Each structure stands twice: as structure tokens, then as C-alpha cells.
Amino acid sequence: MDIHEYQAKEILSGFGVPVPRGGLAYSPEQAAYRAREIGGDAWVVKAQIHSGGRGKAGGVKVCQDEHQVYDAADELFGKRLVTHQTGPKGKVVYRVYVEGAALIEREIYLGFVLDRKTERVMVVASAAGGMEIEEISATRPDSIIRSVIEPAVGIRDFQVREVAFKLGLKPAQITQAVNTIKGCYRAFRELDATMVEINPLVVTSDDAIVALDAKMTFDDNALFRHPSVSELRDKSQEDPRESQAADRGLSYVGLDGKIGCIVNGAGLAMATMDMIELAGGKPANFLDIGGGASPERVAKAFRLVMSDGDVEAILVNIFAGINRCDWVAEGIIQALEANPVNVPVIVRLAGTHVEEGRKILSKSGLPIIRAATLKEAAERAVAAWKNDSKHNVKMVASS
């Protein structure tokens, strides 16, 4: 789960990380009022969306007076920002964050991530802040500093000081950097985060270290332990299909293909998507309905997949271990009878009671295309999709 910049700053501030004074606004009038509250002679108005690269997309504006703050907020509200992370559809701005402008002397990148290779939390830092980490890695790879944290003892002071010294900070700034890095790690560990990123972490003209921007991502599976974090979820920033799936206990990721996938097990779902690609098609989604593929869950999955108007075929690939293929077959039939679909449906069943499941499908009388293997299922799904697409094109042309 992602959260907004202002929410991440509020959390990190509670762990001792210094952040600029700011305030949230839901209207241009409120934005101007926030500027008066903050004081000073310059402010920054930031669009609050779940994406990096907001500045390049026009989502960050520096203002010199309250009128400029009002105008900047007025321009941002309702605007659809398109960044390299949002995709072509972009994300709509419903709130802005106003904070006092800082006199920046230098910018630093600081991040905490789960490193899959070492199975540890890793500190990633660079003296080349203000750029995306991918850009830093491509243009200045030598500037990237990495330090692995041993989970048994946590982050140690010598590790933090080593990172601070490698960043080229002055002696007067080392203590501030140590407290900031340790505060970020505590927030990461105690709140079950999967990513904490401050970019940029700036050194101001008076030698203060301040988190000018902040991002945090949390482990969905641990949110039950942190209700205060769970409440920060903003569904307006999520794909509505993914949000709907999460609320129903399904794992769903929307893609840009035409063949919808209903699969049990994440590994099998990935293999199914790969086979569709190899057969010449493109998956419309990743959907893992889990091990308990009950009729109700199958019906929910069908409704979810068909809510995507771009889906032109559905491939159901179930390997029944704890589950049973005959139960799954009954669920598929119930789902199709209750909610008929107007696209080809391809079903491949394997595992426990597979023969019984195949008999149920064959006796149903429904136009289900059956397959015995995953390769066969993918090929038949792509062929059915192409044939159905050609038929639809002819129908449109003739009408």
C-alpha cells in the first residue's frame, strides 16, 4: 500500500526525521490560508498523487506570494498528471500540500528497501539527490552507497556514520544525518514498510538537514497490525479493479492485454501469463484467486475480469491440490449461468478429481473451450481471441 507525501512526512516526523512546516489543502482558498499559517516569503505547492516525477509533470510549483499559491492550487485541482510511473492514463489531483520553501545548498538521495538477494533491509544513498534512483543508477552509478542491515541487531551507529561520511557531509551535519537515517529505519521496521524513500534529503544554507520529499510503501499482509497506517489508504489513487479485488481477498494487477486470466496460485498465474505471451497474445491482468477456489470466489473473479472493458477472452487455469476440480467446475458453471459473458472462455483443469471436473464442464452445455495442458490452453485462448476479434470487426463493418 502506498501513501501520500504529506502522510509519509507526518509518520517520519514522529520518528524524529526533520521535515518542513506544511499543511494540506482541498481548495485554492485553503491553500492560500495554509501559506499564511506557515509564514515566510516563499512556498511550494505540491500535487498529492501516488507517483514520482511530479515536478516534471507540472505538479510542483514554487510561489512567491499568496495569490500565486491560490493560482497554483487552482490549476492543480482536478488536473490529471501523467508521469513515467502513472502510465498514460495519469492520476487526478484531489489535494495539494503547501509547505515553506527551503534554501537548498545540496540534495541527497536516501532510501530503505527490502533487498531480495541478501534477504535483508538495505540502506541506499547517493550524493546525487533530486533525481530518480533509476536515473542515478544509469548516470552516476559510482555515487550509490549501499549498506545491509543485520536484522538480529538492527542498524548500528557505525553503519550510519559510515553512510554519512561517504555522502560528504560536514562534521556539523553528521549528527543530524545519523538521527535522520536511524529514524527512517525505525519507521521502516516498526510499521512493516517495504520502502522508505527521501528524495531529496536536503542540506539547507544554515546546515540543517531536512526531508523535502518522502515516500513510504507498506506490506499489505501486515496492515492488520497497523490500523493507523491502513486508514491512510487513498482508493482514488488506485486502479479501481485492484481496489475491488483487494476488498474481496483477491490478488489482482491490471495489465494492457486482451486475455483475462483467472488462476489459483501466484506462480501458476505468472506461468500462465508467460504462455499467453509465447502463444502470441497479451494478458489483460494478473489474478490469483488463491488456493480455496470456491464457486463464490470463481464468480467474483469472473465479475472482476469482465469489469475490464478491454477483455476479449478469458482463460481459467486451475491446478487443484487441496481444492477439487469438480468444485471448481461447478463454480465456473454457476458463475457463467449467473453472469453470462460475451467473450470466449477457455478452461484448463488439472489435479484432484480432474476427470470429474472435465465431465461437469462437458455436460453443462455452455460454450466452454476445454484444454488439457497449459500450453494448449494458452494457444486456444489466443486463437479464440483472434477469431472473436475478427468476428467483431466484421460485425462492426457490416453494421
Side-chain angles (χ1 to χ4, degrees):
M1 185 190 81
D2 295 323
I3 61 175
H4 288 292
E5 170 198 357
Y6 75 92
Q7 295 168 329
K9 283 182 173 177
E10 184 176 354
I11 289 174
L12 293 175
S13 177
F15 285 89
V17 177
V19 300
R21 189 180 178 193
L24 189 65
Y26 292 93
S27 68
E29 294 82 4
Q30 194 174 19
Y33 177 75
R34 293 299 187 200
R36 289 194 295 272
E37 274 188 328
I38 295 166
D41 53 10
W43 302 267
V44 181
V45 180
K46 300 181 177 182
Q48 295 300 287
I49 62 171
H50 290 174
S51 173
R54 293 171 299 166
K56 294 179 181 178
V60 178
K61 300 181 181 296
V62 180
C63 306
Q64 304 299 326
D65 58 49
E66 294 176 21
H67 298 293
Q68 290 184 10
V69 171
Y70 180 99
D71 292 339
D74 190 41
E75 180 184 344
L76 288 173
F77 280 116
K79 183 176 181 179
R80 188 177 294 275
L81 290 184
V82 179
T83 74
H84 67 285
Q85 293 183 4
T86 63
K89 292 183 179 179
K91 291 187 176 180
V92 179
V93 179
Y94 295 108
R95 62 191 86 179
V96 301
Y97 188 60
V98 183
E99 65 183 13
L103 296 175
I104 302 172
E105 184 176 281
R106 57 174 299 200
E107 297 180 334
I108 296 167
Y109 175 91
L110 176 64
F112 289 76
V113 294
L114 284 173
D115 180 45
R116 305 295 179 184
K117 185 176 181 180
T118 61
E119 300 180 347
R120 301 285 189 273
V121 177
M122 178 182 286
V123 183
V124 181
S126 173
M131 298 187 293
E132 298 294 330
I133 188 62
E134 296 84 2
E135 186 178 350
I136 297 173
S137 180
T139 59
R140 298 184 59 180
D142 295 339
S143 73
I144 297 179
I145 303 161
R146 297 179 177 86
S147 182
V148 177
I149 301 172
E150 174 56 48
V153 296
I155 197 166
R156 312 305 295 169
D157 286 348
F158 77 87
Q159 281 182 284
V160 183
R161 286 194 296 270
E162 184 178 34
V163 171
F165 282 121
K166 286 183 178 179
L167 288 171
L169 295 173
K170 300 175 183 177
Q173 301 161 354
I174 296 296
T175 300
Q176 297 180 67
V178 167
N179 293 334
T180 297
I181 296 172
K182 291 174 70 174
C184 289
Y185 174 70
R186 288 201 312 274
F188 186 103
R189 181 194 62 203
E190 294 179 19
L191 298 178
D192 288 305
T194 56
M195 191 264 301
V196 173
E197 182 183 75
I198 299 178
N199 187 26
L201 177 68
V202 302
V203 179
T204 64
S205 55
D206 57 354
D207 280 343
I209 291 181
V210 181
L212 216 58
D213 194 3
K215 296 179 189 174
M216 293 187 74
T217 302
F218 299 90
D219 184 351
D220 293 347
N221 296 314
L223 288 177
F224 73 95
R225 297 195 295 195
H226 309 287
S228 61
V229 173
S230 182
E231 290 172 358
L232 302 179
R233 182 180 178 189
D234 182 2
K235 291 186 178 181
S236 72
Q237 296 296 306
E238 300 176 2
D239 184 319
R241 298 166 300 174
E242 296 180 14
S243 178
Q244 182 183 5
D247 291 341
R248 287 156 180 77
L250 303 174
S251 298
Y252 181 97
V253 178
L255 303 172
D256 57 0
K258 300 294 184 181
I259 300 176
C261 303
I262 299 176
V263 191
N264 67 323
L268 186 58
M270 296 296 290
T272 303
M273 293 164 61
D274 289 343
M275 289 303 295
I276 290 173
E277 292 270 1
L278 289 172
K282 283 189 174 295
N285 63 271
F286 166 96
L287 175 55
D288 173 14
I289 62 175
S294 64
E296 293 77 13
R297 289 180 70 84
V298 173
K300 290 177 183 177
F302 267 98
R303 288 195 296 269
L304 180 63
V305 170
M306 288 308 300
S307 68
D308 183 349
D310 292 332
V311 168
E312 297 177 356
I314 298 177
L315 171 55
V316 182
N317 183 22
I318 302 294
F319 183 87
I322 301 174
N323 215 323
R324 288 171 41 173
C325 288
D326 51 344
W327 293 345
V328 174
E330 290 172 0
I332 293 171
I333 293 169
Q334 289 179 23
L336 293 177
E337 288 178 342
N339 300 280
V341 299
N342 58 355
V343 300
V345 177
I346 300 85
V347 178
R348 179 255 182 171
L349 300 177
T352 307
H353 288 205
V354 63
E355 294 302 327
E356 292 86 338
R358 291 172 179 171
K359 289 178 182 178
I360 291 172
L361 291 179
S362 63
K363 293 179 180 178
S364 69
L366 294 172
I368 298 172
I369 302 171
R370 299 186 299 279
T373 66
L374 174 53
K375 182 176 183 292
E376 182 184 15
E379 290 173 348
R380 290 188 175 184
V382 172
W385 160 62
K386 288 181 177 179
N387 291 335
D388 195 61
S389 297
K390 290 176 182 178
H391 174 71
N392 288 337
V393 169
K394 290 178 182 178
M395 289 292 290
V396 172
S398 62
S399 63

